[in-house]
């Protein structure tokens, strides 16, 4: 078979003459044709300009002259002129190769799609999706039914007694016994938190999330809440990292790359670090507050208001232009079970490779901290802060956990609630404060990688006192209003 | 990995963070290279998974892939390194991940560039094909989601399109695997032809 050779598109005379003059001046090696480099220069591509100024330094000024001259000959920006020419050519090609039958009315999927994006019907649909997927599936099935079973039956009746027996029989030293089965034991704290609390919650979340994302609902949600996001200086583009943040804020911080401007990236990173609880936090909060609708509502409202307030202020403070929003809306599709499973497994694998070692190391550090007194020292340092927001002193431990990982702190919250130490107003206050409280180590390191040390540190330094301030105000408001939960 | 490296990566310091654990970041020397490019949400990652047997994360929204993924594929009897890139609408990047994708084209000198497009929206997709041809890159065009196009009553004459554009054009359905064998063969052929021409 003869290999047909593709012929590049011809532009109008003025552009072609500018192009051939630029091409003759380009001597460097660019990986793509000189023609393409010329076109990118004409369209004002900064990255390519920089490359050419380095590789073809002597003729760069001359090239800039040709570009300026060409621009002056057109009323519109050259990127527009060039895109228009390409569009025409594509239309010409398609008229010869594509036939489209006229469509008959809008199908069910199309009607549902419109309902999802219109504010009047879109908000109720959103509430139904949240209720079914987050509350019922993750909050009730994952965080209550599955956690109860694994925690009480598998760990409570089988693993814990068996391991404790084993360790106390074969290891005579209490100190070493504690390392495995004590208050902060590797098995009784690290392994139990990972598998009994975090695993069921995160698994159910990832399943729900995979189904939602494969259905094509997220871009429609982005269109729906674009207006709310405009208020806080973001566009609907921020919806996907935000929703992903409910899974894991660390993952989501990486996905801020899909945003256009630096300003949007900083605001999204800040809001992810502050006001978006990750799946484990969310699941635990649902589990411990679901018995009390009022408490749950206060938590939702408090976190949402903080999200809007800080987002709005950040939008005012952080300089830069607002970018416009345009997103492809793919068709609604039935999620494929195999893809949902594969994705859930891949995410779980990623999550556990990250979380499990941290939990184990945290257990060891806490054990060592207890031993050396460092733990009590830091705990007592946090105690005044904890008292300041009206919480019992035991709570300082979970804030210490929270430094390691958000989900670790959430798991601690679950334990304190089970033990009856945290109930009523203090429970809500601690749930809100812990939700806002510092990004975990993993998230922080990704923030440094994506946004730079200065921004990351500034965000963390803002969040730490701010979380406690909110806790204080909330506690004060609830107690002075005489709210009893 | 050294012990200190391991400890650092446990805390997420210095380790690579991505929701997609498979696929490595570094490029392998010696192998011929295939780069997959195209607009967001046209199924590049599914095509990548089909070609390499990897499991890059696939979703129904634009912007799932934010960093470069690499894998190995056997095409027409030879081994290739296949690179999956974040979506980009044109050769002129707007966002950071589009910049990442373009860098693959500008710096890595792929032996074949596989442009994956949504067969339903050719009008919006083909300008980028023209730009890739303009750039002198060895392009193969994959008309993906042909099933959805057919369901919408859109019929594309792939053979005719191939003639007009002067590049190999293959109709595919990456979700079901339709057309993937032909795509493999055409990619391999095209890569070898490039080798002869050079």
């Amino acid at each position: 078979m003869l290999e047909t050779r593709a012929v590049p598109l011809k532009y109008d005379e003025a552009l072609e003459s500018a192009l051939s003059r630029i091409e003759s001046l380009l001597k460097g090696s660019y990986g793509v044709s000189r023609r393409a480099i010329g076109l990118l220069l004409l369209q004002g591509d900064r990255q390519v300009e920089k490359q050419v100024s380095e590789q073809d330094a002597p003729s760069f000024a001359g090239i800039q002259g040709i570009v300026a001259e060409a621009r002056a000959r057109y009323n519109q920006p050259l990127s527009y002129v060039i895109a228009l020419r390409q569009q025409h050519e594509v239309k010409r090609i398609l008229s010869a190769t594509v036939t489209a039958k006229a469509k008959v009315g809008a199908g069910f999927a199309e009607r549902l799609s419109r309902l999802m994006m219109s504010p009047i019907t879109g908000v109720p649909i959103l509430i139904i999706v949240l209720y079914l997927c987050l509350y019922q599936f993750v909050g009730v099935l994952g965080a209550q039914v599955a956690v109860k079973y694994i925690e009480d039956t598998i760990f409570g009746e089988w693993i814990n007694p068996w391991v404790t027996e084993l360790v106390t029989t074969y290891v005579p030293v209490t100190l070493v016994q504690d390392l495995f089965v004590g208050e902060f034991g590797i098995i009784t704290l690290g392994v139990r938190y990972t598998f009994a609390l975090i695993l069921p919650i995160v698994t159910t979340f990832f399943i729900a999330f995979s189904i939602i994302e494969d259905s094509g609902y997220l871009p429609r949600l982005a269109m729906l809440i674009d207006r709310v996001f405009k208020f806080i200086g973001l566009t609907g583009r921020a919806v996907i990292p935000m929703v992903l943040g409910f899974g894991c804020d660390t993952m989501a911080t990486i996905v801020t790359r899909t945003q256009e401007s630096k300003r949007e990236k900083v605001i999204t990173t800040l809001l992810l670090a502050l006001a978006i609880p990750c799946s484990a936090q969310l699941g635990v909060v649902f589990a411990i507050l679901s018995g009390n609708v009022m408490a749950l509502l206060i938590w939702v409202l408090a976190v949402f208001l903080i999200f809007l307030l800080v987002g709005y202020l950040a939008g005012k403070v952080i300089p830069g232009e607002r970018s416009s929003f345009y997103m492809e809306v793919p068709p609604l599709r039935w999620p494929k079970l195999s893809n949902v499973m594969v994705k859930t497994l891949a995410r779980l694998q990623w999550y556990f490779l990250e979380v499990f070692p941290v939990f184990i190391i945290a257990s060891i550090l806490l054990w060592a901290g207890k031993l050396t007194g460092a733990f009590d020292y830091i705990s007592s340092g946090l105690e005044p802060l904890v008292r300041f927001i009206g919480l019992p002193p035991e709570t300082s431990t979970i804030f210490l956990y929270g430094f390691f990982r958000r989900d670790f702190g959430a798991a601690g919250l679950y334990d304190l609630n089970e033990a009856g130490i945290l109930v009523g107003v203090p429970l809500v206050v601690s749930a809100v404060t812990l939700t806002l409280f510092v990004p975990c180590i993993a998230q922080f390191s990704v923030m440094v990688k994506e946004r730079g040390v200065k921004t990351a540190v500034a965000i963390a330094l803002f969040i730490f006192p701010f979380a406690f301030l909110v806790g204080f105000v909330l506690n004060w408001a609830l107690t002075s209003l005489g709210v009893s939960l | 990995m050294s012990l200190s490296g391991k400890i650092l990566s446990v805390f997420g310091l210095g380790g690579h963070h991505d929701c997609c654990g498979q696929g490595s970041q570094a490029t392998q020397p010696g192998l011929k290279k295939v780069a997959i490019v195209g607009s967001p949400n046209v199924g590049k990652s599914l095509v990548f998974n089909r070609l390499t047997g990897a499991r890059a994360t696939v979703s129904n929204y634009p912007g799932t892939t934010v960093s470069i993924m690499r894998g190995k594929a056997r095409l027409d009897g030879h081994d290739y390194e296949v690179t999956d890139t974040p979506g980009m609408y044109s050769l002129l990047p707007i966002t950071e991940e589009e910049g990442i994708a373009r860098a693959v084209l500008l710096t890595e000198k792929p032996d074949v560039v596989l442009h994956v497009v949504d067969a339903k929206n050719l009008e919006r997709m083909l300008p980028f094909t023209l730009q890739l041809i303009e750039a002198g890159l060895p392009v193969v065009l994959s008309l993906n989601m042909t099933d959805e196009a057919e369901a919408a009553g859109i019929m594309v004459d792939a053979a005719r399109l191939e003639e007009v554009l002067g590049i190999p054009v293959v109709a595919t359905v990456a979700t079901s695997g339709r057309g993937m064998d032909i795509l493999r063969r055409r990619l391999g052929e095209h890569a070898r032809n490039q080798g002869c021409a050079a």
Side-chain angles (χ1 to χ4, degrees):
Chain A
M1 189 184 78
L2 250 170
E3 182 76 0
T4 39
R5 284 275 154 207
V7 186
L9 173 63
K10 283 263 176 286
Y11 297 89
D12 59 28
E13 230 169 281
L15 272 181
E16 283 296 338
S17 96
L19 266 177
S20 64
R21 280 160 69 204
I22 294 172
E23 279 179 61
S24 67
L25 288 174
L26 291 171
K27 300 279 181 269
S29 85
Y30 293 100
V32 294
S33 69
R34 290 200 287 266
R35 186 176 173 84
I37 293 295
L39 281 163
L40 289 169
L41 286 171
L42 288 170
Q43 294 174 84
D45 186 308
R46 292 275 160 75
Q47 226 176 318
V48 170
E49 266 170 24
K50 189 167 163 279
Q51 224 178 324
V52 173
S53 73
E54 283 159 10
Q55 291 201 33
D56 279 300
S59 42
F60 185 59
I63 291 171
Q64 277 181 310
I66 301 171
V67 171
E69 204 180 294
R71 278 187 192 150
R73 299 186 65 148
Y74 291 88
N75 294 325
Q76 290 109 339
L78 289 183
S79 54
Y80 178 78
V81 175
I82 290 170
L84 207 64
R85 174 75 188 92
Q86 290 170 350
Q87 274 297 338
H88 276 299
E89 177 67 6
V90 165
K91 280 219 174 93
R92 195 185 64 79
I93 294 173
L94 291 182
S95 66
T97 53
V98 175
T99 47
K101 271 184 236 145
K103 268 188 138 180
V104 212
F108 171 72
E110 195 141 321
R111 263 178 286 152
L112 181 62
S113 166
R114 268 186 230 144
L115 292 179
M116 282 171 168
M117 290 187 280
S118 131
I120 303 159
T121 44
V123 173
I125 292 176
L126 172 62
I127 291 171
I128 294 171
V129 170
L130 287 179
Y131 175 77
L132 287 180
C133 293
L134 273 188
Y135 188 81
Q136 285 299 338
F137 192 65
V138 181
V140 176
L141 183 70
Q144 289 178 48
V145 180
V147 166
K148 271 253 142 42
Y149 177 74
I150 301 179
E151 164 103 330
D152 294 354
T153 311
I154 300 185
F155 274 86
E157 288 174 24
W158 302 338
I159 299 179
N160 285 353
W162 180 73
V163 175
T164 310
E165 161 103 29
L166 198 76
V167 172
T168 40
T169 318
Y170 291 100
V171 185
V173 194
T174 328
L175 207 70
V176 185
Q177 283 176 7
D178 281 349
L179 177 59
F180 292 98
V181 294
E183 189 186 355
F184 306 116
I186 293 176
I187 307 287
T188 44
L189 188 75
V191 176
R192 183 173 63 92
Y193 272 12
T194 313
F195 289 99
L197 287 169
I198 307 302
L199 177 75
I201 295 173
V202 173
T203 307
T204 44
F205 180 84
F206 282 156
I207 292 174
F209 186 73
S210 301
I211 292 174
I212 291 178
E213 65 176 5
D214 280 12
S215 70
Y217 180 61
L218 289 180
R220 291 171 172 80
L221 181 63
M223 300 303 264
L224 177 70
I225 54 183
D226 185 41
R227 229 176 291 169
V228 178
F229 273 35
K230 280 230 173 73
F231 171 74
I232 60 176
L234 289 174
T235 65
R237 213 187 299 269
V239 166
I240 284 165
M242 295 286 186
V243 178
L244 203 56
F246 286 113
C248 174
D249 288 301
T250 310
M251 251 183 219
T253 307
I254 301 171
V255 177
T256 54
R257 283 182 198 169
T258 55
Q259 286 176 286
E260 230 173 87
S261 66
K262 188 169 176 250
R263 172 173 183 274
E264 283 182 292
K265 288 179 194 176
V266 172
I267 299 176
T268 313
T269 307
L270 166 67
L271 288 174
L272 281 172
L274 179 73
I276 303 288
C278 66
S279 57
Q281 276 184 314
L282 202 65
V284 167
V285 168
F286 280 153
I288 58 184
L289 297 184
S290 63
N292 189 332
V293 180
M294 188 65 188
L296 188 62
L297 274 181
I298 293 175
W299 178 82
V300 170
L301 213 65
V303 174
F304 184 63
L305 283 179
I306 292 300
F307 176 86
L308 284 186
L309 177 74
V310 172
Y312 177 74
L313 292 178
K316 292 259 167 242
V317 171
I318 298 172
E321 270 176 48
R322 282 160 191 255
S323 33
S324 60
F325 174 56
Y326 168 73
M327 183 184 256
E328 303 261 329
V329 178
L332 286 172
R333 299 186 174 110
W334 280 111
K336 271 180 99 176
L337 184 68
S338 60
N339 192 41
V340 168
M341 285 340 258
V342 165
K343 242 187 336 191
T344 304
L345 283 177
R347 288 199 166 122
L348 277 177
Q349 185 192 357
W350 175 83
Y351 190 82
F352 277 90
L353 283 179
E354 182 163 308
V355 83
F356 192 51
V358 177
F359 277 25
I360 299 296
I361 288 174
S363 291
I364 298 172
L365 286 179
L366 288 169
W367 169 81
K370 192 89 184 162
L371 206 68
T372 54
F375 177 82
D376 290 324
Y377 183 75
I378 300 171
S379 269
S380 57
L382 281 169
E383 232 181 84
L385 274 175
V386 169
R387 270 188 220 285
F388 171 67
I389 61 173
L391 300 180
E394 290 91 333
T395 336
S396 56
T397 324
I398 60 172
F399 286 100
L400 196 56
Y401 290 0
F403 275 117
F404 286 101
R405 277 192 70 94
R406 285 164 175 268
D407 33 24
F408 202 42
L413 192 66
Y414 183 88
D415 263 2
L416 285 184
N417 175 245
E418 286 281 279
I421 294 168
L422 268 179
V423 286
V425 171
L427 180 63
V428 177
V429 172
S430 59
V432 169
T433 314
L434 203 65
T435 305
L436 303 178
F437 192 60
V438 291
C440 62
I441 296 175
Q443 188 182 357
F444 184 73
S445 71
V446 170
M447 283 161 63
V448 170
K449 224 169 98 189
E450 299 284 321
R451 295 291 91 77
V453 183
K454 247 170 61 187
T455 312
V457 170
I459 288 176
L461 283 182
F462 162 72
I463 289 175
F464 184 72
F466 183 74
F468 282 98
L469 183 69
V470 171
F472 174 76
V473 172
L474 184 64
N475 181 50
W476 173 79
L478 291 178
T479 33
S480 46
L481 285 172
V483 177
S484 65
L485 296 167
Chain B
M1 194 189 269
S2 69
L3 183 65
S4 63
K6 267 186 190 155
I7 292 171
L8 280 179
S9 68
V10 160
F11 281 106
L13 303 165
H16 170 61
H17 274 274
D18 207 324
C19 38
C20 346
Q22 299 78 22
S24 70
Q25 292 278 299
T27 148
Q28 279 191 26
L31 279 182
K32 283 204 167 196
K33 284 180 272 186
V34 177
I36 303 178
V37 298
S39 303
N41 215 42
V42 295
K44 292 179 295 301
S45 297
L46 256 180
V47 171
F48 173 79
N49 289 354
R50 288 269 171 198
L51 291 177
T52 61
R55 290 183 313 174
T57 310
V58 174
S59 316
N60 187 12
Y61 61 76
T64 308
T65 308
V66 291
S67 58
I68 288 161
M69 302 274 292
R70 293 183 206 282
K72 251 170 77 173
R74 202 162 172 81
L75 306 172
D76 210 23
H78 296 269
D79 281 334
Y80 290 84
E81 185 192 65
V82 183
T83 306
D84 186 19
T85 62
M88 54 177 161
Y89 291 99
S90 80
L91 215 47
L92 198 66
I94 299 172
T95 64
E96 187 182 341
E97 89 269 22
E98 285 186 89
I100 296 173
R102 189 178 73 167
V104 171
L105 293 178
L106 293 188
T107 59
E108 293 190 3
K109 299 197 170 55
D111 296 279
V112 185
V113 173
L114 174 59
H115 183 204
V116 181
V117 297
D118 175 356
K120 301 191 295 302
N121 291 315
L122 288 182
E123 197 168 328
R124 256 188 304 152
M125 307 268 157
L126 284 195
F128 189 24
T129 317
L130 297 181
Q131 293 165 19
L132 292 168
I133 293 172
E134 234 162 31
L137 293 162
V139 194
V140 171
L141 185 64
S142 156
L143 303 173
N144 200 25
M145 306 187 190
T146 305
D147 54 340
E148 287 187 351
E150 283 164 5
I154 300 168
M155 298 293 160
V156 185
D157 185 345
R160 181 93 186 85
L161 191 57
E162 174 158 341
E163 248 169 70
V164 178
L165 289 173
I167 55 168
V169 176
V170 184
T172 56
V173 181
T175 46
S176 72
R178 194 172 116 195
M180 292 309 292
D181 284 336
I182 304 173
L183 183 63
R184 274 193 200 93
R185 188 169 53 76
R186 301 294 308 263
L187 281 172
E189 275 173 14
H190 204 55
R192 274 203 310 284
N193 283 334
Q194 298 307 316
C196 294

